[in-house]
Amino acid sequence: MILTVCPSPCIDVNMEVESLGVGMSNKIISKKTFYTGKALNVAVGLARLKADVFATGFMYDENGTQFEHELHREGVPYKFVWNKGRVRENFKIIDRRSMLTEVDDVSPEVSSEKQEELIRLVSQLAVKCDAIVISGSLAKGMKPDFYYKVLKAVPPSVVKIADTEGDRLIEALKCGVKLVKPNLDELERTLKRKIVSKTDMFEGCREILDRGAEYVLLSLGKRGAVITDGGKNYYCKSVNVAMNSTVGAGDGMVAAATDALIKGGSMQDVLRCGVAGGTASVTLPDSISFTKDKYEEILSSLTVEEI
């Protein structure tokens, strides 16, 4: 079983307007609502690949039940630690000029008691797990070492995968992580320096490896991704697809890469599957993940080269 841990779920509300006028009445042309959170998106992707997956994390009393409905519809079993308050809501507004305006919410505070409750729950669930994926931001007031505490609570035999950045990633690496998946911007923010060349890129990955990762799967967006273990480096170019949504693209990459990793895939397999998952995710306008058919179609067209 693969356990996914979501410390900060969110509701993404994507709206299209003719034009956005500040201080004026604006009419919505179309609106899409996604019940999301990085690790929950990973769980959905894994379920669509027919993997044995279980989701956990924090949830909130006032508007959290819809997440249960969505996970049930996707066939993802779950158990949450419930808190008072509302799941944060992020608003993305795009106008006819393709100008994007974002308004991001902040999760309510999670008490230290609730944090300990989730760590205990992860410890209990991890006994039955082959792997754990923890990803995303943290609720208001939580410290980056929560990532360390969660991963420290699972048995050493469990494969650890982290998708985050900054101090959260540094804390996760202290536990020894099998795979991390930053993109270039996240790598820069984590290392606190600019990456302007291929040499910079691999030096940055090397630092992440030295801190405790076994593999770095570095997303290059629509250009594809690279994977490295410090000894060998591989590149997989993505394919051109119609981009209908960017919701969950990185999480689709993590889901497919995790599935390949747990099945004993090579570095090349993990890379190719990850790129296929990320690419397939952007083709669906009304979903936070990919379909298995689209994933397999894209996967069959990808090649990996050593660099």
Side-chain angles (χ1 to χ4, degrees), residues 63-249:
N63 59 348
T65 54
Q66 187 61 40
F67 287 82
E68 294 183 306
H69 297 321
E70 293 296 318
L71 291 173
H72 180 73
R73 185 170 61 86
E74 293 286 351
V76 177
Y78 57 86
K79 185 175 182 180
F80 294 123
V81 171
W82 288 83
N83 299 269
K84 294 179 181 179
R86 294 178 59 83
V87 177
R88 63 192 173 105
E89 296 173 290
N90 298 329
F91 298 89
K92 294 178 173 63
I93 306 166
I94 189 165
D95 65 18
R96 62 185 175 186
R97 297 171 301 167
S98 297
M99 182 71 71
L100 176 66
T101 301
E102 298 187 64
V103 182
D104 292 339
D105 201 356
V106 178
S107 293
E109 288 193 30
V110 175
S111 69
S112 58
E113 291 80 12
K114 290 293 185 178
Q115 293 179 42
E116 290 298 325
E117 184 179 342
L118 180 55
I119 291 168
R120 288 194 300 271
L121 177 58
V122 167
S123 180
Q124 295 164 9
L125 293 169
V127 174
K128 303 176 182 178
C129 289
D130 301 305
I132 179 173
V133 179
I134 181 169
S135 58
S137 59
L138 297 174
K140 183 180 179 181
M142 292 180 68
K143 297 179 179 178
D145 67 355
F146 183 76
Y147 262 73
Y148 172 81
K149 292 176 180 178
V150 167
L151 294 177
K152 192 70 175 176
V154 307
S157 59
V158 175
V159 173
K160 302 175 183 70
I161 298 160
D163 181 17
T164 189
E165 63 174 281
D167 290 341
R168 298 189 301 271
L169 178 55
I170 299 302
E171 289 292 332
L173 292 170
K174 293 178 182 179
C175 290
V177 177
K178 185 78 171 181
L179 177 74
V180 297
K181 188 221 63 70
N183 59 37
L184 280 172
D185 290 339
E186 291 166 341
L187 186 62
E188 286 185 339
R189 288 193 290 267
T190 299
L191 300 178
K192 297 180 173 60
R193 64 173 183 266
K194 283 290 184 183
I195 294 172
V196 297
S197 67
K198 185 184 293 186
T199 298
D200 292 343
M201 182 177 74
F202 283 113
E203 284 180 351
C205 289
R206 178 76 259 179
E207 185 170 336
I208 298 298
L209 294 164
D210 289 343
R211 285 178 175 267
E214 187 171 339
Y215 302 125
V216 176
L217 175 60
L218 183 66
S219 172
L220 305 176
K222 60 185 179 182
R223 290 182 291 153
V226 299
I227 193 170
T228 179
D229 65 356
K232 289 185 177 294
N233 310 311
Y234 296 98
Y235 170 67
C236 180
K237 183 180 179 180
S238 186
V239 294
N240 291 325
V241 295
M243 185 177 292
N244 291 304
S245 172
T246 58
V247 175

